[in-house]
Amino acid sequence: MHTIVRLPNGVFAPYTSIPTNLLFFDASGATEEIWYYEVPLPEGRKSFSKTKPMQESDFDGCFAWWNDRTENTQAWKYDFKAAYDKAKSEAQPHWDAARTAEANANRNAKRVKELETQIQNINASLLDFSPAKQQAKVKQQIQDLKEEQKRTLAEERQEREIAKQEQTKRDSLYWCIYNLDQKNPIAQNDFEHLPPEQLVADIWRKEQRILEILGEIKDVLQTKPSKENL
């Protein structure tokens, strides 16, 4: 992408009032610099309409600027590559931290399953006619394994929470570079979009709450007595 031409209000009235952009691409390589050009409304007009639509002559200023690009009140340049490199550099440590925490959580989850298998095997070997002293020893062993299982499960959840938080930080730093609603540094833009980092943070808050609820449901299911223990 090398150029974005912003059209004035009312270009597609009365069908929609959504601001419209023309995007220009070529096959020369990755996006590095993006030029913006805002087509101004004719003097004295606040908007185009169905009865007073946009004319080809309204692009005269853009045509004149196209091959001799300079920054002015209608045109400016955005260094996308610099923004991309900066965002990627700042986001990478959070991405690495998220992957490390997720790997730790997966190891803990594996250990929880191993402990569950050990507990089940020991339970199966516990006989009613075994000496009381031996039964007490085995039951204590089972209790120790359950305590370890509980601690490991808590560590797993903690690591997954760290992974989510780090991923959220990474996303808020990285994905906002693809927001091409760059403001004219000279002229004030009347139309405002919700910043993408706010959208990402809001989505992740909802996602975290869903995962918390699923964790609570999992706790209930795990604490329910199994048929073997009844």
Side-chain angles (χ1 to χ4, degrees):
M1 178 182 290
H2 58 81
T3 307
I4 297 177
V5 175
R6 289 182 168 170
L7 303 183
N9 294 332
V11 172
F12 293 103
Y15 307 105
T16 180
S17 59
I18 297 175
T20 305
N21 299 307
L22 305 179
L23 311 181
F24 294 86
F25 300 84
D26 62 34
S28 61
T31 301
E32 295 193 356
E33 294 180 342
I34 303 175
W35 277 96
Y36 288 77
Y37 186 91
E38 289 183 329
V39 178
L41 283 161
E43 187 174 353
R45 297 279 299 277
K46 293 184 178 180
S47 177
F48 289 113
S49 65
K50 186 175 182 179
T51 56
K52 294 182 178 180
M54 191 174 190
Q55 304 294 321
E56 183 177 351
S57 59
D58 293 315
F59 286 99
D60 287 349
C62 183
F63 292 149
W65 166 86
W66 191 267
N67 292 322
D68 185 20
R69 302 188 176 200
T70 56
E71 294 186 296
N72 53 52
T73 55
Q74 265 78 51
W76 69 97
K77 183 169 56 176
Y78 173 56
D79 192 341
F80 177 82
K81 186 176 186 305
Y84 175 85
D85 291 342
K86 180 175 181 293
K88 187 175 180 180
S89 175
E90 292 176 349
Q92 190 65 48
H94 297 292
W95 200 352
D96 294 340
R99 288 193 295 184
T100 299
E102 190 67 27
N104 291 338
N106 291 336
R107 281 194 294 270
N108 286 329
K110 182 180 179 181
R111 179 57 180 160
V112 168
K113 291 181 179 179
E114 292 172 350
L115 289 167
E116 183 62 30
T117 300
Q118 287 181 259
I119 292 170
Q120 290 176 1
N121 291 339
I122 295 174
N123 264 326
S125 68
L126 187 61
L127 302 176
D128 292 338
F129 55 82
S130 299
K133 187 175 181 180
Q134 182 179 345
Q135 285 193 12
K137 183 179 179 180
V138 172
K139 288 179 180 179
Q140 184 59 51
Q141 186 180 359
I142 291 173
Q143 184 60 36
D144 292 343
L145 289 172
K146 286 183 176 180
E147 289 296 326
E148 182 183 351
Q149 186 183 46
K150 184 177 180 181
R151 290 193 302 270
T152 306
L153 184 59
E155 290 173 5
E156 178 197 349
R157 289 177 181 167
Q158 183 179 18
E159 291 292 339
R160 294 203 190 281
E161 182 63 28
I162 292 172
K164 286 187 290 182
Q165 291 175 357
E166 292 295 334
Q167 187 68 30
T168 299
K169 292 176 184 177
R170 181 262 180 188
D171 289 345
S172 66
L173 289 168
Y174 180 77
W175 290 111
C176 64
I177 62 173
Y178 295 104
N179 173 29
L180 298 181
D181 185 27
Q182 300 298 318
K183 308 302 178 186
N184 188 334
I186 300 174
Q188 180 64 35
N189 195 336
D190 294 332
F191 189 82
E192 297 289 338
H193 291 292
L194 185 66
E197 56 270 22
Q198 290 185 20
L199 290 172
V200 171
D202 184 61
I203 291 170
W204 271 105
R205 279 195 298 270
K206 291 181 173 63
E207 184 70 17
Q208 288 172 357
R209 181 55 186 151
I210 291 171
L211 292 173
E212 287 172 3
I213 294 172
L214 289 175
E216 293 170 3
I217 294 172
K218 185 178 180 182
D219 284 345
V220 172
L221 294 176
Q222 287 182 336
T223 56
K224 184 178 178 180
S226 64
K227 290 182 179 180
E228 295 178 354
N229 294 329
L230 292 177

